[in-house]
Coordinates of all heavy atoms in Angstrom, one line a residue:
M1 N -18.8 4.0 -28.8 CA -19.2 5.3 -28.1 C -18.0 6.2 -28.1 O -17.3 6.3 -27.1 CB -19.7 4.9 -26.7 CG -21.0 4.2 -26.6 SD -22.4 5.2 -27.2 CE -23.6 4.0 -27.3
L2 N -17.8 6.9 -29.2 CA -16.8 7.9 -29.2 C -17.2 9.2 -28.6 O -16.3 9.9 -27.9 CB -16.3 8.1 -30.7 CG -15.6 6.9 -31.3 CD1 -15.4 7.2 -32.8 CD2 -14.3 6.6 -30.7
N3 N -18.4 9.5 -28.7 CA -18.9 10.8 -28.2 C -19.2 10.7 -26.7 O -20.0 9.9 -26.2 CB -20.2 11.2 -28.9 CG -20.7 12.7 -28.6 OD1 -20.0 13.2 -27.7 ND2 -21.6 13.1 -29.3
K4 N -18.4 11.4 -25.9 CA -18.5 11.3 -24.4 C -19.9 11.7 -23.9 O -20.4 11.2 -23.0 CB -17.5 12.1 -23.8 CG -16.1 11.5 -23.8 CD -15.1 12.4 -23.1 CE -13.7 11.8 -23.2 NZ -12.7 12.7 -22.6
E5 N -20.5 12.7 -24.6 CA -21.8 13.3 -24.2 C -22.9 12.4 -24.4 O -24.0 12.5 -23.8 CB -22.0 14.6 -24.8 CG -21.0 15.7 -24.2 CD -21.2 17.1 -24.7 OE1 -22.2 17.3 -25.5 OE2 -20.4 17.9 -24.4
S6 N -22.7 11.4 -25.3 CA -23.8 10.5 -25.5 C -24.0 9.5 -24.4 O -25.0 8.8 -24.2 CB -23.6 9.7 -26.8 OG -22.5 8.9 -26.7
K7 N -22.9 9.3 -23.6 CA -23.0 8.4 -22.5 C -23.8 9.0 -21.4 O -23.7 10.2 -21.1 CB -21.5 8.2 -21.9 CG -20.8 7.1 -22.5 CD -19.5 6.8 -21.6 CE -18.6 5.9 -22.3 NZ -17.3 5.8 -21.7
A8 N -24.6 8.2 -20.8 CA -25.5 8.6 -19.7 C -24.7 8.5 -18.4 O -24.4 7.4 -17.9 CB -26.7 7.7 -19.7
P9 N -24.3 9.6 -17.8 CA -23.6 9.5 -16.6 C -24.5 9.1 -15.4 O -25.6 9.5 -15.3 CB -23.0 11.0 -16.4 CG -23.9 11.8 -17.2 CD -24.6 11.0 -18.2
K10 N -23.9 8.3 -14.5 CA -24.7 7.8 -13.4 C -24.9 8.9 -12.4 O -25.9 9.0 -11.8 CB -24.0 6.6 -12.7 CG -24.1 5.3 -13.6 CD -23.3 4.2 -12.9 CE -23.5 3.0 -13.8 NZ -22.6 1.9 -13.4
A11 N -23.8 9.7 -12.1 CA -23.9 10.8 -11.1 C -24.0 12.2 -11.9 O -23.5 12.2 -13.0 CB -22.6 10.8 -10.3
P12 N -24.6 13.1 -11.3 CA -24.6 14.4 -11.9 C -23.2 15.0 -12.1 O -22.3 14.6 -11.4 CB -25.5 15.3 -11.0 CG -25.6 14.5 -9.7 CD -25.4 13.1 -10.1
A13 N -23.1 15.9 -13.1 CA -21.8 16.4 -13.5 C -21.0 17.0 -12.3 O -19.8 16.8 -12.2 CB -21.9 17.4 -14.6
G14 N -21.7 17.7 -11.4 CA -21.0 18.4 -10.3 C -20.6 17.5 -9.2 O -19.8 17.8 -8.4
A15 N -21.2 16.3 -9.1 CA -21.0 15.4 -8.1 C -19.9 14.4 -8.4 O -19.9 13.2 -8.1 CB -22.3 14.7 -7.7
K16 N -18.9 14.8 -9.1 CA -17.7 13.9 -9.4 C -17.0 13.5 -8.2 O -16.8 14.3 -7.3 CB -16.8 14.6 -10.4 CG -16.9 14.0 -11.8 CD -15.8 14.6 -12.7 CE -15.9 14.0 -14.1 NZ -14.8 14.7 -14.9
R17 N -16.6 12.2 -8.1 CA -15.9 11.7 -7.0 C -14.5 12.3 -7.0 O -13.7 12.1 -7.9 CB -15.8 10.2 -7.0 CG -15.9 9.7 -5.6 CD -16.1 8.2 -5.7 NE -16.3 7.7 -4.4 CZ -15.9 6.4 -4.0 NH1 -15.4 5.6 -4.9 NH2 -16.1 6.0 -2.8
V18 N -14.2 13.1 -6.0 CA -12.8 13.6 -5.8 C -11.9 12.7 -5.1 O -12.2 12.4 -4.0 CB -12.9 15.0 -5.2 CG1 -11.5 15.7 -5.1 CG2 -13.9 15.9 -6.0
A19 N -10.9 12.3 -5.9 CA -9.9 11.3 -5.2 C -9.1 12.2 -4.2 O -8.6 13.2 -4.5 CB -9.0 10.7 -6.3
K20 N -8.8 11.5 -3.1 CA -8.0 12.1 -2.0 C -6.5 12.0 -2.5 O -6.1 11.0 -3.0 CB -8.1 11.3 -0.8 CG -7.9 12.0 0.5 CD -8.1 11.1 1.6 CE -8.1 11.7 2.9 NZ -8.2 10.7 4.0
K21 N -5.8 13.1 -2.4 CA -4.4 13.1 -2.9 C -3.6 12.3 -2.0 O -3.5 12.5 -0.8 CB -4.0 14.6 -2.9 CG -2.5 14.7 -3.4 CD -2.4 15.1 -4.8 CE -1.1 15.7 -5.2 NZ -0.2 14.7 -5.7
K22 N -3.0 11.3 -2.6 CA -2.1 10.4 -1.8 C -0.8 10.9 -1.7 O -0.2 11.3 -2.7 CB -2.2 9.0 -2.4 CG -3.5 8.3 -2.3 CD -3.4 7.0 -3.2 CE -4.8 6.6 -3.5 NZ -4.8 5.7 -4.8
V23 N -0.2 10.9 -0.5 CA 1.2 11.3 -0.4 C 2.1 10.1 0.0 O 1.6 9.3 0.9 CB 1.3 12.5 0.6 CG1 2.7 12.9 0.8 CG2 0.4 13.6 0.2
C24 N 3.2 10.0 -0.5 CA 4.2 8.8 -0.2 C 4.6 9.0 1.3 O 5.2 10.0 1.6 CB 5.3 8.9 -1.2 SG 6.6 7.7 -0.6
P25 N 4.2 8.1 2.2 CA 4.6 8.2 3.6 C 6.1 8.2 3.8 O 6.6 8.7 4.8 CB 3.9 7.1 4.2 CG 3.6 6.0 3.2 CD 3.5 6.9 1.9
F26 N 6.8 7.6 2.9 CA 8.3 7.5 3.0 C 8.9 8.8 2.7 O 10.0 9.2 3.2 CB 8.9 6.4 2.2 CG 8.3 5.0 2.6 CD1 7.4 4.4 1.8 CD2 8.8 4.4 3.8 CE1 6.9 3.1 2.2 CE2 8.3 3.1 4.1 CZ 7.4 2.5 3.4
C27 N 8.3 9.5 1.7 CA 8.8 10.8 1.3 C 8.6 11.8 2.4 O 9.4 12.7 2.7 CB 8.1 11.3 0.0 SG 8.8 10.6 -1.4
V28 N 7.5 11.7 3.1 CA 7.1 12.5 4.2 C 8.1 12.4 5.3 O 8.6 13.4 5.9 CB 5.7 12.2 4.8 CG1 5.4 13.0 6.0 CG2 4.6 12.6 3.7
S29 N 8.5 11.2 5.6 CA 9.5 10.9 6.7 C 10.9 11.1 6.2 O 11.9 10.8 6.9 CB 9.2 9.6 7.3 OG 9.4 8.5 6.4
K30 N 11.1 11.3 4.9 CA 12.5 11.5 4.2 C 13.3 10.2 4.4 O 14.4 10.3 4.8 CB 13.1 12.7 4.8 CG 12.4 14.1 4.2 CD 13.1 15.2 4.9 CE 12.3 16.5 4.4 NZ 12.7 17.7 5.2
A31 N 12.7 9.2 4.2 CA 13.4 7.9 4.3 C 14.3 7.7 3.1 O 13.9 7.8 2.0 CB 12.4 6.7 4.4
T32 N 15.6 7.3 3.3 CA 16.5 7.0 2.3 C 16.7 5.5 2.0 O 17.1 5.1 1.0 CB 17.9 7.6 2.6 OG1 18.3 7.2 3.9 CG2 17.9 9.1 2.5
E33 N 16.2 4.7 3.1 CA 16.2 3.3 2.8 C 15.1 2.7 3.7 O 14.7 3.4 4.7 CB 17.6 2.7 3.2 CG 18.1 3.1 4.6 CD 19.4 2.6 5.0 OE1 20.2 2.1 4.0 OE2 19.8 2.6 6.1
I34 N 14.7 1.5 3.4 CA 13.6 0.9 4.1 C 14.2 -0.4 4.8 O 14.6 -1.3 4.1 CB 12.4 0.6 3.2 CG1 11.8 1.9 2.7 CG2 11.3 -0.2 4.0 CD1 10.8 1.7 1.6
N35 N 14.2 -0.5 6.1 CA 14.6 -1.6 6.8 C 13.6 -2.7 6.9 O 12.4 -2.4 7.3 CB 15.0 -1.2 8.2 CG 15.6 -2.3 9.0 OD1 15.5 -3.5 8.7 ND2 16.3 -1.9 10.1
Y36 N 13.9 -3.9 6.4 CA 12.8 -4.9 6.2 C 12.4 -5.4 7.6 O 11.2 -5.8 7.7 CB 13.3 -6.1 5.3 CG 14.4 -6.9 6.0 CD1 14.0 -8.1 6.7 CD2 15.7 -6.7 5.7 CE1 15.0 -8.9 7.3 CE2 16.6 -7.5 6.2 CZ 16.3 -8.6 7.1 OH 17.3 -9.4 7.6
I37 N 13.2 -5.4 8.6 CA 12.8 -5.8 10.0 C 11.8 -4.8 10.5 O 10.7 -5.2 11.0 CB 14.0 -5.9 10.8 CG1 15.0 -7.0 10.3 CG2 13.6 -6.3 12.3 CD1 16.3 -7.1 11.0
Q38 N 12.1 -3.6 10.4 CA 11.2 -2.5 10.9 C 9.9 -2.5 10.1 O 8.8 -2.4 10.7 CB 11.9 -1.1 10.6 CG 11.9 -0.3 11.8 CD 12.7 1.0 11.5 OE1 13.6 1.0 10.7 NE2 12.3 2.1 12.1
L39 N 10.0 -2.7 8.8 CA 8.8 -2.8 8.0 C 7.9 -3.9 8.4 O 6.7 -3.7 8.5 CB 9.2 -2.9 6.5 CG 8.1 -2.9 5.5 CD1 7.6 -1.5 5.2 CD2 8.5 -3.5 4.3
A40 N 8.5 -5.1 8.6 CA 7.7 -6.3 9.0 C 7.0 -6.1 10.3 O 5.8 -6.4 10.4 CB 8.6 -7.5 9.1
K41 N 7.7 -5.5 11.2 CA 7.1 -5.1 12.5 C 6.0 -4.1 12.4 O 4.9 -4.4 12.9 CB 8.2 -4.4 13.4 CG 9.0 -5.4 14.2 CD 9.9 -4.7 15.2 CE 10.9 -5.6 15.7 NZ 12.0 -4.9 16.4
E42 N 6.2 -3.2 11.5 CA 5.1 -2.1 11.3 C 3.9 -2.8 10.7 O 2.8 -2.5 11.1 CB 5.7 -1.1 10.3 CG 5.1 0.3 10.4 CD 5.8 1.2 9.5 OE1 7.0 1.6 9.7 OE2 5.2 1.6 8.5
I43 N 4.1 -3.7 9.7 CA 3.0 -4.3 9.1 C 2.2 -5.2 10.0 O 1.0 -5.3 10.1 CB 3.4 -5.1 7.8 CG1 3.9 -4.1 6.7 CG2 2.4 -6.1 7.3 CD1 4.5 -4.7 5.5
Q44 N 3.0 -5.9 10.9 CA 2.3 -6.9 11.9 C 1.6 -6.0 12.9 O 0.5 -6.4 13.2 CB 3.4 -7.7 12.5 CG 3.8 -8.8 11.7 CD 5.2 -9.4 12.1 OE1 5.7 -9.0 13.1 NE2 5.8 -10.3 11.2
E45 N 2.2 -5.0 13.4 CA 1.5 -4.1 14.3 C 0.2 -3.5 13.8 O -0.8 -3.4 14.5 CB 2.4 -3.0 14.8 CG 3.4 -3.5 15.9 CD 4.5 -2.6 16.3 OE1 4.3 -1.4 15.9 OE2 5.5 -3.0 16.8
S46 N 0.3 -3.0 12.6 CA -0.8 -2.3 11.9 C -1.9 -3.3 11.7 O -3.1 -3.0 11.8 CB -0.4 -1.7 10.6 OG 0.0 -2.6 9.7
G47 N -1.5 -4.6 11.5 CA -2.6 -5.6 11.4 C -3.3 -5.9 12.7 O -4.6 -6.0 12.6
N48 N -2.6 -5.8 13.8 CA -3.2 -6.0 15.1 C -4.1 -4.8 15.4 O -5.2 -5.0 16.0 CB -2.1 -6.1 16.1 CG -1.3 -7.4 16.0 OD1 -1.8 -8.4 15.4 ND2 -0.1 -7.4 16.5
R49 N -3.7 -3.6 15.1 CA -4.5 -2.5 15.3 C -5.8 -2.5 14.6 O -6.9 -2.1 15.2 CB -3.7 -1.2 14.9 CG -4.0 0.0 15.7 CD -3.3 1.3 15.1 NE -1.9 1.1 15.0 CZ -1.2 1.6 14.1 NH1 -1.7 2.2 13.1 NH2 0.1 1.5 14.0
Y50 N -5.8 -3.0 13.4 CA -7.0 -3.2 12.6 C -8.0 -4.0 13.3 O -9.2 -3.7 13.3 CB -6.6 -3.6 11.2 CG -7.8 -3.7 10.3 CD1 -8.4 -2.7 9.7 CD2 -8.4 -5.0 10.0 CE1 -9.5 -2.8 8.8 CE2 -9.4 -5.2 9.2 CZ -10.0 -4.2 8.6 OH -11.0 -4.2 7.8
D51 N -7.5 -5.2 13.8 CA -8.4 -6.2 14.4 C -9.1 -5.6 15.6 O -10.2 -5.9 15.9 CB -7.6 -7.4 14.8 CG -7.1 -8.1 13.5 OD1 -7.7 -7.9 12.5 OD2 -6.1 -8.8 13.6
K52 N -8.4 -4.8 16.4 CA -9.0 -4.2 17.7 C -10.0 -3.1 17.5 O -11.1 -3.2 18.0 CB -7.8 -3.9 18.6 CG -7.2 -5.2 19.3 CD -6.0 -4.8 20.1 CE -5.3 -6.1 20.5 NZ -3.9 -5.9 21.0
S53 N -9.5 -2.0 16.8 CA -10.2 -0.9 16.8 C -11.1 -0.7 15.5 O -12.0 0.1 15.4 CB -9.4 0.4 17.0 OG -8.5 0.5 15.9
G54 N -10.7 -1.5 14.5 CA -11.5 -1.4 13.2 C -11.0 -0.3 12.4 O -11.6 0.1 11.4
E55 N -9.8 0.3 12.7 CA -9.3 1.4 12.0 C -8.7 0.9 10.6 O -8.2 -0.2 10.6 CB -8.2 2.2 12.7 CG -8.7 3.4 13.4 CD -7.6 4.1 14.2 OE1 -6.6 4.2 13.7 OE2 -7.9 4.3 15.4
K56 N -8.7 1.8 9.7 CA -8.0 1.4 8.4 C -6.5 1.4 8.6 O -6.0 2.4 9.1 CB -8.4 2.4 7.3 CG -8.1 1.9 5.9 CD -8.4 2.9 4.9 CE -8.0 2.4 3.5 NZ -8.2 3.4 2.5
R57 N -5.9 0.4 8.3 CA -4.5 0.2 8.5 C -3.7 0.7 7.3 O -4.1 0.7 6.2 CB -4.1 -1.2 8.9 CG -4.5 -2.2 7.8 CD -4.4 -3.6 8.2 NE -5.5 -4.3 7.9 CZ -5.7 -5.6 8.1 NH1 -4.8 -6.3 8.7 NH2 -6.7 -6.2 7.7
T58 N -2.5 1.3 7.7 CA -1.6 1.7 6.6 C -0.5 0.6 6.5 O 0.6 0.7 7.0 CB -0.9 3.0 7.0 OG1 -0.3 2.9 8.3 CG2 -1.9 4.1 7.1
R59 N -0.9 -0.4 5.7 CA 0.1 -1.5 5.4 C 0.3 -1.6 3.9 O -0.4 -1.0 3.1 CB -0.4 -2.8 6.0 CG -1.8 -3.2 5.4 CD -2.3 -4.3 6.2 NE -1.5 -5.5 6.2 CZ -1.7 -6.7 6.7 NH1 -3.0 -6.9 7.1 NH2 -0.9 -7.7 6.6
Y60 N 1.3 -2.3 3.6 CA 1.7 -2.3 2.1 C 1.5 -3.7 1.5 O 1.9 -3.8 0.4 CB 3.2 -1.9 2.1 CG 3.4 -0.5 2.8 CD1 4.1 -0.5 4.0 CD2 2.9 0.7 2.3 CE1 4.2 0.7 4.7 CE2 3.0 1.9 3.0 CZ 3.7 1.9 4.2 OH 3.8 3.0 4.8
I61 N 0.9 -4.5 2.3 CA 0.6 -5.8 1.6 C -0.9 -6.1 1.9 O -1.4 -5.6 2.9 CB 1.5 -7.0 2.1 CG1 1.4 -7.2 3.7 CG2 2.9 -6.8 1.7 CD1 2.1 -8.5 4.2
T62 N -1.5 -6.9 1.1 CA -2.9 -7.3 1.2 C -3.1 -8.3 2.2 O -2.0 -8.9 2.8 CB -3.4 -7.8 -0.1 OG1 -2.8 -8.9 -0.5 CG2 -3.4 -6.7 -1.2
E63 N -4.3 -8.8 2.5 CA -4.6 -9.9 3.4 C -3.9 -11.1 3.0 O -3.4 -11.9 3.7 CB -6.1 -10.2 3.4 CG -7.0 -9.0 3.9 CD -7.1 -9.1 5.4 OE1 -7.4 -10.2 6.0 OE2 -6.7 -8.1 6.1
K64 N -3.8 -11.3 1.6 CA -3.2 -12.5 1.1 C -1.7 -12.5 1.0 O -1.1 -13.4 0.6 CB -3.8 -12.8 -0.3 CG -5.2 -13.2 -0.3 CD -5.8 -13.6 -1.6 CE -7.1 -14.1 -1.5 NZ -7.7 -14.6 -2.8
G65 N -1.2 -11.3 1.3 CA 0.3 -11.2 1.4 C 0.9 -10.6 0.1 O 2.1 -10.5 0.0
K66 N 0.0 -10.1 -0.8 CA 0.6 -9.5 -2.0 C 0.9 -8.1 -1.7 O 0.4 -7.3 -0.9 CB -0.5 -9.5 -3.1 CG -0.9 -10.9 -3.6 CD -2.1 -10.9 -4.4 CE -1.8 -11.0 -5.8 NZ -3.0 -11.0 -6.7
I67 N 1.9 -7.5 -2.5 CA 2.4 -6.2 -2.4 C 1.3 -5.2 -3.0 O 0.9 -5.5 -4.2 CB 3.8 -6.0 -3.0 CG1 4.8 -6.8 -2.4 CG2 4.1 -4.5 -3.0 CD1 6.1 -6.9 -3.1
I68 N 0.9 -4.2 -2.3 CA -0.1 -3.3 -2.8 C 0.5 -2.4 -3.9 O 1.6 -1.8 -3.7 CB -0.8 -2.5 -1.7 CG1 -1.6 -3.4 -0.8 CG2 -1.6 -1.4 -2.2 CD1 -2.2 -2.8 0.4
P69 N -0.2 -2.3 -5.0 CA 0.4 -1.4 -6.1 C 0.4 0.0 -5.7 O -0.4 0.6 -4.9 CB -0.5 -1.7 -7.3 CG -1.7 -2.3 -6.8 CD -1.4 -3.0 -5.5
R70 N 1.3 0.7 -6.4 CA 1.5 2.2 -6.2 C 0.3 3.0 -6.3 O 0.1 4.0 -5.6 CB 2.6 2.6 -7.2 CG 3.7 3.4 -6.6 CD 4.9 3.3 -7.5 NE 4.7 3.7 -8.9 CZ 4.6 5.0 -9.2 NH1 4.7 6.0 -8.4 NH2 4.4 5.3 -10.5
R71 N -0.5 2.7 -7.4 CA -1.7 3.4 -7.7 C -2.7 3.4 -6.6 O -3.6 4.2 -6.4 CB -2.3 3.0 -9.0 CG -2.8 1.6 -8.9 CD -3.6 1.2 -10.2 NE -4.1 -0.1 -10.1 CZ -3.5 -1.2 -10.5 NH1 -2.2 -1.1 -11.0 NH2 -4.0 -2.4 -10.3
M72 N -2.6 2.4 -5.7 CA -3.5 2.3 -4.6 C -3.0 2.8 -3.3 O -3.6 3.4 -2.4 CB -3.9 0.7 -4.4 CG -4.6 0.2 -5.6 SD -5.1 -1.5 -5.5 CE -6.3 -1.5 -4.4
S73 N -1.6 2.5 -3.1 CA -1.1 3.0 -1.8 C -0.6 4.4 -1.8 O -0.5 5.0 -0.8 CB 0.1 2.0 -1.4 OG 1.1 2.0 -2.4
G74 N -0.3 4.9 -3.0 CA 0.3 6.2 -3.1 C 1.7 6.4 -2.9 O 2.3 7.5 -2.8
V75 N 2.4 5.3 -2.8 CA 3.9 5.3 -2.6 C 4.5 5.8 -3.9 O 4.1 5.3 -5.0 CB 4.4 4.0 -2.1 CG1 5.8 4.0 -1.9 CG2 3.7 3.6 -0.8
C76 N 5.6 6.5 -3.8 CA 6.2 7.0 -5.0 C 7.1 5.9 -5.6 O 7.3 4.9 -5.0 CB 7.1 8.3 -4.8 SG 8.6 7.9 -3.8
L77 N 7.5 6.1 -6.9 CA 8.2 5.1 -7.7 C 9.5 4.6 -6.9 O 9.7 3.4 -6.8 CB 8.6 5.6 -9.0 CG 9.3 4.7 -10.0 CD1 8.5 3.5 -10.4 CD2 9.8 5.5 -11.2
H78 N 10.3 5.6 -6.5 CA 11.5 5.2 -5.8 C 11.3 4.4 -4.6 O 11.9 3.3 -4.3 CB 12.3 6.5 -5.4 CG 13.5 6.3 -4.7 ND1 14.7 5.7 -5.2 CD2 13.8 6.6 -3.4 CE1 15.5 5.7 -4.2 NE2 15.1 6.2 -3.2
H79 N 10.4 4.8 -3.7 CA 10.1 4.1 -2.5 C 9.3 2.8 -2.7 O 9.5 1.9 -1.9 CB 9.4 5.1 -1.5 CG 10.3 6.1 -0.9 ND1 10.0 7.4 -1.0 CD2 11.4 5.9 -0.2 CE1 11.0 8.1 -0.4 NE2 11.8 7.2 0.1
Q80 N 8.5 2.7 -3.7 CA 7.9 1.5 -4.0 C 8.8 0.4 -4.3 O 8.7 -0.7 -3.9 CB 6.9 1.7 -5.1 CG 6.1 0.4 -5.6 CD 5.0 0.0 -4.6 OE1 4.8 0.7 -3.6 NE2 4.5 -1.2 -4.8
H81 N 9.9 0.8 -5.0 CA 11.0 -0.2 -5.4 C 11.7 -0.6 -4.1 O 11.9 -1.8 -3.9 CB 12.0 0.5 -6.4 CG 13.2 -0.4 -6.7 ND1 13.0 -1.4 -7.6 CD2 14.4 -0.4 -6.3 CE1 14.1 -2.1 -7.6 NE2 15.0 -1.4 -6.9
L82 N 12.0 0.3 -3.2 CA 12.7 -0.1 -2.0 C 11.8 -0.8 -1.1 O 12.2 -1.9 -0.5 CB 13.1 1.3 -1.2 CG 14.1 2.2 -1.8 CD1 14.4 3.3 -1.0 CD2 15.5 1.4 -2.1
L83 N 10.5 -0.6 -1.1 CA 9.5 -1.3 -0.4 C 9.4 -2.7 -0.8 O 9.3 -3.6 0.0 CB 8.1 -0.5 -0.5 CG 7.0 -1.1 0.3 CD1 7.1 -0.8 1.8 CD2 5.7 -0.4 -0.2
A84 N 9.3 -2.9 -2.1 CA 9.2 -4.2 -2.8 C 10.4 -5.1 -2.4 O 10.2 -6.3 -2.0 CB 9.1 -4.1 -4.3
V85 N 11.6 -4.5 -2.4 CA 12.7 -5.2 -2.0 C 12.7 -5.6 -0.5 O 13.0 -6.8 -0.2 CB 14.1 -4.4 -2.3 CG1 15.3 -5.0 -1.7 CG2 14.2 -4.2 -3.8
A86 N 12.3 -4.6 0.3 CA 12.2 -4.9 1.7 C 11.1 -6.0 2.0 O 11.4 -6.8 2.9 CB 11.8 -3.6 2.5
I87 N 10.0 -6.0 1.4 CA 9.0 -7.0 1.6 C 9.5 -8.4 1.2 O 9.3 -9.3 1.9 CB 7.7 -6.6 0.8 CG1 7.0 -5.4 1.5 CG2 6.7 -7.8 0.8 CD1 5.8 -4.8 0.7
K88 N 10.3 -8.4 0.1 CA 10.7 -9.7 -0.4 C 11.8 -10.2 0.5 O 11.8 -11.5 0.7 CB 11.3 -9.5 -1.8 CG 10.2 -9.4 -2.9 CD 10.7 -8.9 -4.2 CE 9.5 -8.7 -5.1 NZ 9.9 -8.1 -6.4
R89 N 12.6 -9.3 1.1 CA 13.6 -9.8 2.1 C 12.9 -10.3 3.3 O 13.3 -11.3 3.9 CB 14.5 -8.6 2.5 CG 15.6 -8.4 1.5 CD 16.5 -7.2 2.0 NE 17.5 -7.0 0.9 CZ 18.0 -5.8 0.7 NH1 17.8 -4.7 1.5 NH2 18.9 -5.6 -0.3
G90 N 11.8 -9.6 3.8 CA 11.0 -10.0 4.9 C 10.4 -11.4 4.7 O 10.4 -12.1 5.6
R91 N 10.1 -11.7 3.5 CA 9.5 -13.0 3.2 C 10.5 -14.1 3.3 O 10.2 -15.1 3.9 CB 8.9 -12.9 1.8 CG 7.6 -12.2 1.6 CD 7.2 -12.1 0.1 NE 5.9 -11.5 0.0 CZ 5.5 -11.1 -1.2 NH1 6.2 -11.3 -2.3 NH2 4.3 -10.5 -1.4
V92 N 11.7 -13.8 2.8 CA 12.8 -14.8 2.9 C 13.1 -15.1 4.3 O 13.4 -16.2 4.7 CB 14.0 -14.3 2.0 CG1 15.2 -15.2 2.3 CG2 13.6 -14.3 0.5
M93 N 13.1 -14.0 5.1 CA 13.4 -14.1 6.5 C 12.2 -14.6 7.4 O 12.3 -14.5 8.6 CB 13.9 -12.8 7.1 CG 15.2 -12.3 6.4 SD 16.6 -13.4 6.4 CE 17.2 -13.1 8.1
A94 N 11.2 -15.0 6.7 CA 10.0 -15.4 7.3 C 9.3 -14.4 8.2 O 8.6 -14.9 9.2 CB 10.2 -16.8 8.1
L95 N 9.4 -13.1 8.0 CA 8.8 -12.1 8.8 C 7.5 -11.8 8.1 O 6.5 -11.3 8.9 CB 9.7 -10.9 8.9 CG 11.1 -11.1 9.6 CD1 11.9 -9.9 9.5 CD2 10.8 -11.4 11.1
L96 N 7.4 -11.9 6.9 CA 6.1 -11.6 6.2 C 5.8 -12.9 5.3 O 6.6 -13.7 4.9 CB 6.4 -10.4 5.2 CG 6.6 -9.1 5.9 CD1 7.1 -8.1 4.9 CD2 5.5 -8.6 6.6
P97 N 4.5 -13.0 5.0 CA 4.0 -14.2 4.3 C 4.2 -14.1 2.8 O 4.1 -13.0 2.2 CB 2.5 -14.3 4.6 CG 2.1 -12.8 4.8 CD 3.4 -12.1 5.4
F98 N 4.5 -15.2 2.2 CA 4.5 -15.3 0.8 C 3.1 -15.4 0.3 O 2.7 -14.8 -0.7 CB 5.3 -16.6 0.3 CG 6.8 -16.4 0.2 CD1 7.5 -16.9 1.3 CD2 7.4 -15.8 -0.9 CE1 8.9 -16.8 1.2 CE2 8.7 -15.7 -0.9 CZ 9.5 -16.2 0.1
K99 N 2.3 -16.1 1.0 CA 0.9 -16.4 0.6 C 0.1 -16.6 1.9 O 0.5 -17.4 2.8 CB 0.9 -17.6 -0.3 CG -0.4 -17.9 -0.9 CD -0.3 -19.2 -1.7 CE -1.6 -19.6 -2.2 NZ -1.5 -21.0 -2.9
N100 N -1.0 -16.0 2.0 CA -1.9 -16.1 3.2 C -3.2 -16.7 2.6 O -3.9 -16.1 1.8 CB -2.2 -14.8 3.8 CG -1.5 -14.6 5.1 OD1 -0.8 -15.6 5.5 ND2 -1.5 -13.4 5.7
D101 N -3.6 -17.8 3.1 CA -4.9 -18.4 2.7 C -6.0 -18.2 3.7 O -5.8 -18.0 4.9 CB -4.7 -19.9 2.5 CG -3.9 -20.2 1.2 OD1 -4.1 -19.4 0.2 OD2 -3.1 -21.1 1.2
Ligands
ZN1 ZN1 8.5 8.3 -1.6

């Protein structure tokens, strides 16, 4: 199917799903480094908040403990690198899970 117009679109042309522009939260707060202790606390607290009020949490790891990719979280390249290092440090210090079953 090389011809795009031959494809039958599910939604009408005008009703294209507009993706919400994601902004890196670390860039907003102008963070130059990410403290793994602070990050682990933030992730744990946001997890609790989700359980009580049902709000969508702003955390950087999945239920299973995996690091959420940049394309989903909206974190910029620089901060994603710092974030990954911080999460890995948190894991070693037993603040964050390697694996959640
Ligand atoms: Zn950033």
Side-chain angles (χ1 to χ4, degrees):
M1 290 290 168
L2 291 170
N3 191 354
K4 281 181 184 174
E5 291 183 1
S6 68
K7 267 187 190 172
K10 284 177 184 172
K16 251 188 183 177
R17 213 171 186 206
V18 181
K20 210 180 187 182
K21 181 94 162 92
K22 291 172 205 159
V23 182
C24 172
F26 298 106
C27 282
V28 172
S29 61
K30 289 174 184 169
T32 51
E33 55 185 11
I34 299 171
N35 185 343
Y36 70 88
I37 298 170
Q38 227 175 334
L39 182 80
K41 272 184 191 167
E42 207 177 289
I43 289 172
Q44 283 160 7
E45 279 170 17
S46 64
N48 293 337
R49 211 187 302 144
Y50 179 78
D51 292 337
K52 281 170 189 168
S53 66
E55 261 177 50
K56 196 183 176 186
R57 57 192 136 177
T58 52
R59 60 191 301 190
Y60 308 105
I61 59 171
T62 63
E63 293 278 307
K64 291 188 174 183
K66 293 168 106 179
I67 300 170
I68 291 177
R70 228 155 59 76
R71 66 173 181 272
M72 296 176 75
S73 62
V75 178
C76 74
L77 181 64
H78 176 65
H79 284 121
Q80 179 73 6
H81 178 75
L82 296 177
L83 183 70
V85 171
I87 289 171
K88 284 166 188 174
R89 278 183 189 153
R91 283 173 177 169
V92 170
M93 300 303 281
L95 298 169
L96 296 170
F98 278 99
K99 190 183 172 187
N100 256 354
D101 286 322

